[in-house]
Amino acid sequence: MNPHYSDDTLQKIGINIAVIERLVEILNWTDQEEEEIRWSAAQILSKLFGKNQNSIRVAGVPSIISDHPNYEFLTFNHLGLLILKKLPCVHDNCGNGNTRGIQPKIMDFTHADERLLKEVTDMPNDQILTLKRSLQLVKRLASTTGNTRKNLRLNLSEIVFTISNIRDILRYGEKHPMLQQLGIEILTSLALEADAIERVGGIGGVLNELFNIFFNKGMLGNNKQVRTKAGEALAMVVLESKNNCLRIIKLGVLENLVEALEVQLLRVNAARILRNLCTYNSSNCFHQLKGIMNAAPKSFG
């Protein structure tokens, strides 16, 4: 905690693997009388992994995400999520097979009910903080590069509540645009994999909620970026996916998409969506798409 010595101390700890392993081992302690020691170890590791050179593969760190009945475990969860968010800076940490079991637990933290999302207060909300940190962590995992990226995205999309939890944030989180944006960015990353694209489009209400945000004229100022992100996600979800194109056509949003071609903020993504709809149309919806082909030259002329 001393600003004069903290950097040197962290450097010395960071090059001592035995000390790091011991600190991680302490995270597994469950005795309530040792809670303060466990908390101190977690704080040290949080500082330590803030330095890229110290973000080594640490399989034991997920154990700090705790539901021990005798702990004030919400604060431990906050710190655990913060540590985990720093670890994926190194690709080996993202692909660590020992961490796959922790992914469903991380996704549990992305759940938020309607009341929480619609509530606005001037006081800090620990549940919203937990939600934010968990989404930031999932976003980092979903957007990772390297050899592990495909399996990570598929694993995340296969977790039962991953996409439905994000759908609820889109549906009820209008007062929390930052959370909505994080959720949308996760969907966009998941849609990089063909199998995940089908899961994103197949979960009831996801496409509709994305369009509700994309067409929401009430979003002002910096919140406009959320609309842009929603458009990018929709453009990814329909890319080379006939099933999702048909799902969108059934939503009855074609007229709104054509109108969006006239809006500078929406134009590019609306065009990308419409292009894919035209590419993957079937005979039973051709009459709905004919107007689009006529409207595009007018809008871009």
Side-chain angles (χ1 to χ4, degrees):
M1 300 301 293
N2 189 314
H4 298 293
Y5 305 112
S6 59
D7 287 343
D8 288 342
T9 303
L10 287 173
Q11 185 178 19
K12 289 182 179 180
I13 295 174
I15 61 176
N16 193 322
I17 300 301
V19 173
I20 296 177
E21 289 178 346
R22 178 58 173 165
L23 288 169
V24 173
E25 180 186 336
I26 292 173
L27 298 183
N28 291 287
W29 292 0
T30 58
D31 191 329
Q32 188 175 9
E33 294 182 358
E34 297 169 333
E35 180 177 349
E36 185 176 351
I37 299 175
R38 185 172 180 245
W39 173 251
S40 296
Q43 286 183 308
I44 295 169
L45 288 171
S46 176
K47 295 280 189 182
L48 191 66
F49 297 142
K51 309 288 185 180
N52 288 337
Q53 67 269 26
N54 294 327
S55 294
I56 60 175
R57 182 183 300 186
V58 183
V61 168
S63 63
I64 193 174
I65 297 183
S66 167
D67 55 2
H68 194 281
N70 295 322
Y71 275 9
E72 290 293 333
F73 60 86
L74 189 58
T75 54
F76 274 90
N77 291 337
H78 287 168
L79 196 50
L81 288 169
L82 182 61
I83 294 173
L84 288 170
K85 189 178 75 172
K86 293 175 179 179
L87 287 179
C89 291
V90 176
H91 294 157
D92 283 346
N93 289 324
C94 291
N96 187 349
N98 294 326
T99 64
R100 180 169 181 175
I102 201 65
Q103 291 174 13
K105 181 169 285 190
I106 294 170
M107 292 313 307
D108 284 343
F109 291 116
T110 66
H111 169 74
D113 58 30
E114 180 179 357
R115 178 199 57 79
L116 174 65
L117 290 171
K118 289 187 173 182
E119 184 181 57
V120 175
T121 174
D122 294 332
M123 299 296 291
N125 189 312
D126 286 342
Q127 289 177 286
I128 292 294
L129 177 59
T130 297
L131 182 58
K132 177 184 174 183
R133 284 187 176 171
S134 60
L135 289 171
Q136 289 173 330
L137 174 55
V138 175
K139 175 189 170 184
R140 178 161 289 186
L141 292 172
S143 61
T144 190
T145 58
N147 296 329
T148 62
R149 63 187 187 277
K150 182 179 178 68
N151 288 336
L152 263 174
R153 285 194 274 268
L154 289 177
N155 290 344
L156 288 170
S157 69
E158 288 171 354
I159 297 171
V160 175
F161 298 112
T162 296
I163 299 171
S164 59
N165 283 353
I166 293 174
R167 175 200 58 199
D168 291 344
I169 292 170
L170 302 185
R171 179 174 295 167
Y172 304 120
E174 186 175 359
K175 295 178 180 177
H176 300 280
M178 179 184 294
L179 300 181
Q180 288 186 322
Q181 182 169 326
L182 286 169
I184 291 169
E185 289 171 341
I186 292 168
L187 295 179
T188 303
S189 293
L190 294 180
L192 292 171
E193 308 301 333
D195 291 341
I197 281 182
E198 297 302 322
R199 295 189 185 99
V200 171
I203 298 293
V206 172
L207 295 176
N208 193 54
E209 297 306 328
L210 286 171
F211 274 116
N212 286 340
I213 293 174
F214 187 54
F215 295 136
N216 187 352
K217 298 178 182 179
M219 285 191 167
L220 303 174
N222 294 333
N223 293 349
K224 290 181 179 179
Q225 187 175 359
V226 183
R227 298 179 70 187
T228 302
K229 293 294 183 180
E232 292 173 358
L234 287 164
M236 282 295 299
V237 168
V238 298
L239 184 63
E240 299 184 358
S241 174
K242 183 174 181 178
N243 288 333
N244 285 340
C245 287
L246 293 175
R247 289 175 179 125
I248 287 176
I249 289 171
K250 291 177 181 179
L251 290 177
V253 297
L254 296 182
E255 184 176 342
N256 289 334
L257 280 170
V258 173
E259 292 177 358
L261 294 174
E262 304 284 354
V263 182
Q264 185 174 359
L265 179 69
L266 311 180
R267 179 176 297 170
V268 172
N269 287 315
R272 292 170 65 196
I273 297 166
L274 288 169
R275 179 187 61 192
N276 281 283
L277 294 181
C278 291
T279 301
Y280 293 97
N281 74 84
S282 59
S283 57
N284 63 338
C285 63
F286 180 73
H287 65 284
Q288 299 180 62
L289 295 173
K290 284 195 299 184
I292 296 173
M293 299 175 187
N294 295 329
K298 176 182 176 182
S299 297
F300 289 96

